[in-house]
Amino acid sequence: MTAPPVDLEELRSIHLVGAGGAGMNAIGLVLAEMGHTVSGSDLRAGPGMTRLAAHGGRVSIGHDAANIGSADIVAHSSAVPHDNAELVEARRRGIPVLSRAELLAGICRRKQTLAVGGTHGKTTTSSMLALCLVAAGERPSFLVGGDVNEIGSGAVWDTAGEWFVVEADESDGTHLQLVADAVLVTNIEPDHLDHYGNFEELAAAFERFAGSASGPRIVCADDRRAAAMAARIGGCATYGRSAGADYRIVDAYSSRTGAGFELVAGTTSIGRCDMPLPGLHNVTNAAGALAAALELGAAASPMVEALGRFAGVARRFERRGERDGVSFIDDYAHLPTEVAAAIAAARSGGWERIVAVFQPHRYSRTAALWQDFADSFAEADQVVLTDIYAAGEVPRPGVSTELVLGALLDTHPYASVAYLPGRTELRTYLRSHLRSGDLCLTLGAGDLTTLPDELLHVP
């Protein structure tokens, strides 16, 4: 049985273990803005710890029992081991020790919560939704998994607003603990099977997530699994290109500099939206955000106008610069459908060649999904693969990037592919191979994100 969410109405002293990570760091910022006394520790310094300190948090680099001070609550990210010195000390002193999900559920209790879930598209969609509600004068609070470029953060707490927009992480079942009043589901695809055991359990979890909402349920009609779920649970508003969607995308386009569409509800046009963000997948994300906000009763016109200024989210088709006529864009895409969508967005940009550089993420994910990458790179002119980013996992025998390479070449035997495991040889290859007119598109959730800077700024 799930424990009831912690009561955060009374101001507390809260210590976060692993406070530099994106998820815990955003929670720390929200807690500070709520008025709680926040402290945090992590193994190393970084932008997240600097940001928490700027919000008044007491930060410690390294883990030590003394770091928890006089905390009323200690919370930790899923990456923190059970025998961490601070967690051990908290349990010894009888201080409640909460998971990230349990702490986030407590925050959700303070407002009406709209949780955005799905295998991918969550961060961009929840960011768009938050900004739509801001533009409509709804004064939402929000917590998303990336930095929204307009404000440089993914966490805001506004005491005056009614709604809290939260990105609902399914990787460890967090989405099931949030007790959301409204939900938005972008899609349902295989991922995190190491946690769920099989895809059927993952799909069932999404169905419980969507079905438990007491308020609006907004689901993408273009994803067959999500659409089937919506039909089973009933009472859902749908969006997408599908003819039967309640909110339909029409006249969509994507170019190098942006994308646009018209949103139609029944026979009524909600408005024409042209965004400075490329990719037809972002058209779908924007339609979902508009549909959800409209279901909450927000006014359409200011939201459409706001999306026309949407500058994106860090690491989502992020332009990193140009050197010697070569453009560099970095994207967080690490799942098969995400990779294909990012390359499709690049294809609409008119570059002479797309050189897609991909770093598989986690041994568990590669073991489960390597075959699904077979067609993901079909629209790239050149594919460059590098070694798996472990993300803390122990290597698995027989699991390597060669699985992805084999799947790709089995399906597309004439594809131009290079496999360069090490960073030094990867840089050397790209420096000699890239030419004016190319787009170098780095793809992955690991440390490949630093490669564009290395190629742009290092002689």
Side-chain angles (χ1 to χ4, degrees):
M1 179 181 293
T2 302
V6 62
D7 183 1
L8 293 176
E9 185 169 354
E10 179 183 345
L11 295 182
R12 310 286 189 91
S13 176
I14 304 172
H15 180 72
L16 308 178
V17 187
M24 286 299 283
N25 190 251
I27 287 175
L29 302 187
V30 164
L31 290 170
E33 291 186 356
M34 291 170 71
H36 297 283
T37 300
V38 180
S39 61
S41 63
D42 213 314
L43 286 174
R44 57 188 60 86
M49 298 298 278
T50 302
R51 188 179 300 156
L52 184 59
H55 275 68
R58 176 177 58 81
V59 302
S60 303
I61 306 305
H63 294 304
D64 187 282
N67 290 341
I68 65 175
S70 58
D72 302 309
I73 296 170
V74 173
H76 61 95
S77 74
S78 57
V80 176
H82 184 75
D83 61 355
N84 175 276
E86 295 172 25
L87 301 187
V88 170
E89 176 66 7
R91 288 190 291 265
R92 186 190 70 79
R93 289 166 52 183
I95 299 171
V97 176
L98 306 180
S99 68
R100 180 179 68 89
E102 290 169 332
L103 186 57
L104 182 55
I107 297 173
C108 290
R109 285 188 64 184
R110 296 296 312 279
K111 289 182 179 288
Q112 292 196 74
T113 296
L114 196 166
V116 180
T119 308
H120 51 83
K122 296 185 293 292
T123 300
T124 300
T125 303
S126 53
S127 300
M128 289 175 165
L129 174 55
L131 292 178
C132 281
L133 292 173
V134 168
E138 300 292 334
R139 300 191 65 172
S141 300
F142 58 90
L143 194 157
V144 302
D147 290 341
V148 184
N149 288 336
E150 281 92 337
I151 62 172
S153 173
V156 166
W157 187 260
D158 190 325
T159 57
E162 178 182 8
W163 283 96
F164 177 45
V165 176
V166 60
E167 180 178 341
D169 180 15
E170 81 283 5
S171 67
D172 57 359
T174 292
H175 62 326
L176 297 178
Q177 299 191 47
L178 301 185
V179 195
D181 300 281
V183 298
L184 189 161
V185 178
T186 59
N187 39 61
I188 303 173
E189 295 182 5
D191 196 17
H192 308 298
L193 301 185
D194 54 325
H195 176 77
Y196 291 94
N198 56 60
F199 177 70
E200 289 71 24
E201 288 298 321
L202 170 66
F206 272 118
E207 190 158 330
R208 292 196 299 274
F209 167 68
S212 64
S214 57
R217 306 164 180 170
I218 303 95
V219 179
C220 183
D222 297 340
D223 182 86
R224 63 180 179 84
R225 297 182 181 107
M229 178 198 71
R232 285 192 300 272
I233 65 178
C236 297
T238 57
Y239 67 94
R241 297 180 184 81
S242 301
D246 297 307
Y247 295 91
R248 286 184 295 113
I249 297 168
V250 298
D251 296 331
Y253 74 91
S254 176
S255 69
R256 182 181 295 199
T257 57
F261 66 104
E262 182 180 3
L263 191 65
V264 177
T267 58
T268 302
S269 175
I270 302 299
R272 177 86 204 173
C273 180
D274 295 288
M275 307 177 293
L277 187 67
L280 292 176
H281 61 298
N282 284 318
V283 165
T284 304
N285 293 335
L290 284 171
L294 290 165
E295 286 293 302
L296 299 186
S301 180
M303 297 192 296
V304 171
E305 184 179 344
L307 286 175
R309 303 188 301 269
F310 183 66
V313 182
R315 294 218 60 199
R316 272 65 175 182
F317 214 76
E318 183 179 17
R319 297 176 184 274
R320 301 292 286 274
E322 183 174 321
R323 179 174 178 175
D324 298 328
V326 178
S327 300
F328 293 87
I329 290 178
D330 181 54
D331 196 279
Y332 192 71
H334 56 281
L335 297 175
T337 304
E338 293 174 338
V339 168
I343 295 173
R347 178 56 64 194
S348 69
W351 282 280
E352 292 181 15
R353 291 193 313 165
I354 298 170
V355 179
V357 187
F358 177 61
Q359 180 185 48
H361 189 255
R362 295 185 183 273
Y363 292 97
S364 58
R365 180 175 282 125
T366 304
L369 301 179
W370 63 271
Q371 291 174 305
D372 297 335
F373 283 102
D375 292 317
S376 297
F377 303 92
E379 291 196 62
D381 299 288
Q382 166 81 44
V383 180
V384 182
L385 303 175
T386 191
D387 262 356
I388 294 172
Y389 183 77
E393 290 187 344
V394 176
R396 297 188 180 188
V399 178
S400 73
T401 301
E402 291 184 25
L403 291 174
V404 178
L405 175 65
L408 194 164
L409 290 176
D410 283 346
T411 306
H412 302 278
Y414 299 107
S416 177
V417 188
Y419 175 34
L420 301 159
R423 182 60 67 92
T424 299
E425 57 187 321
L426 178 61
R427 284 195 303 266
T428 300
Y429 175 83
L430 290 171
R431 284 194 176 111
S432 64
H433 183 75
L434 292 170
R435 59 178 186 249
S436 181
D438 285 351
L439 167 64
C440 180
L441 177 63
T442 47
L443 302 160
D447 62 5
L448 193 71
T449 186
T450 64
L451 182 63
D453 289 336
E454 295 168 21
L455 295 172
L456 280 164
H457 305 301
V458 179

